[in-house]
């Protein structure tokens, strides 16, 4: 089975992810997708980057430290499928925190399951699982559970912005 990076590069239209991969390479982070440590990657598809202000990707590359923080906000150092999200949320609801990784906090109701997971940026993401879909910080997961040898990828329909960063952080004329 291929690793997360190989799965990412093998994608074809309509949901390619080349921009995200290019940005990971620019900050020297593509190794995270090739490694042997389990990882979950929430990948904005190329359409998400095209929706930004014209020339935004160029501006993202101008500030590598901010770009790295942005990319790290899409990386979780554990494998999380939608099934895992549901199970962790239910375990917490049943008061079984001993079996949960320390990077996961959860809450569950009958139909809505929510987890907070730490990212490589140290900011948490909120994963919400309903009967219909998985959302990450309110962003719909376009395609879930793309499993690889070293983790799992979920394709998003937009970019996740960590606290303190936005498109305007990279492009001053966008306010």
């Amino acid at each position: 089975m291929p690793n997360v990076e190989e799965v990412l590069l093998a994608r074809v239209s309509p949901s390619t992810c080349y921009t995200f991969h290019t940005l990971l390479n620019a900050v020297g982070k593509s190794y995270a997708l090739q490694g042997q440590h389990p990882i979950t990657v929430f990948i904005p598809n190329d359409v998400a980057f095209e929706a930004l202000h014209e020339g935004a990707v160029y501006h993202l590359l101008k500030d590598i430290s901010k770009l790295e923080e942005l990319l790290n906000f899409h990386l979780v150092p554990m494998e999380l499928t939608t099934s895992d999200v549901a199970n962790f949320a239910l375990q917490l609801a049943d008061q079984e925190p001993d079996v949960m990784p320390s990077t996961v906090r959860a809450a569950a109701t009958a139909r809505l399951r929510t987890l907070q997971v730490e990212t490589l940026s140290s900011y948490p993401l909120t994963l919400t699982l309903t009967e219909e879909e998985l959302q990450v910080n309110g962003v719909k997961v376009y395609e879930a559970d793309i499993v690889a040898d070293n983790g799992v990828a979920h394709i998003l329909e937009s970019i996740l912005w960590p606290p303190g960063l936005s498109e305007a952080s990279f492009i001053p004329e966008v306010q």
Side-chain angles (χ1 to χ4, degrees), residues 37-110:
H37 299 288
I39 190 154
T40 297
V41 187
F42 295 99
I43 305 169
N45 63 20
D46 289 341
V47 174
F49 287 99
E50 291 166 8
L52 296 175
H53 187 267
E54 185 177 336
V57 173
Y58 169 75
H59 288 285
L60 292 173
L61 291 165
K62 285 183 173 180
D63 191 331
I64 296 299
S65 66
K66 283 185 194 174
L67 176 57
E68 185 170 13
E69 184 177 344
L70 172 64
L71 297 172
N72 281 341
F73 193 58
H74 292 79
L75 306 173
V76 176
M78 64 185 295
E79 188 171 323
L80 276 174
T81 63
T82 53
S83 177
D84 295 329
V85 171
N87 289 336
F88 286 143
L90 289 173
Q91 286 172 5
L92 185 71
D94 291 339
Q95 306 297 329
E96 294 182 28
D98 302 354
V99 298
M100 307 254 309
S102 61
T103 56
V104 175
R105 291 181 298 281
T109 63

Side-chain angles (χ1 to χ4, degrees), residues 151-170:
V152 64
H154 303 280
I155 309 298
L156 303 173
E157 55 184 19
S158 67
I159 299 166
L160 301 171
W161 296 99
L165 286 184
S166 66
E167 185 177 358
S169 304
F170 293 92

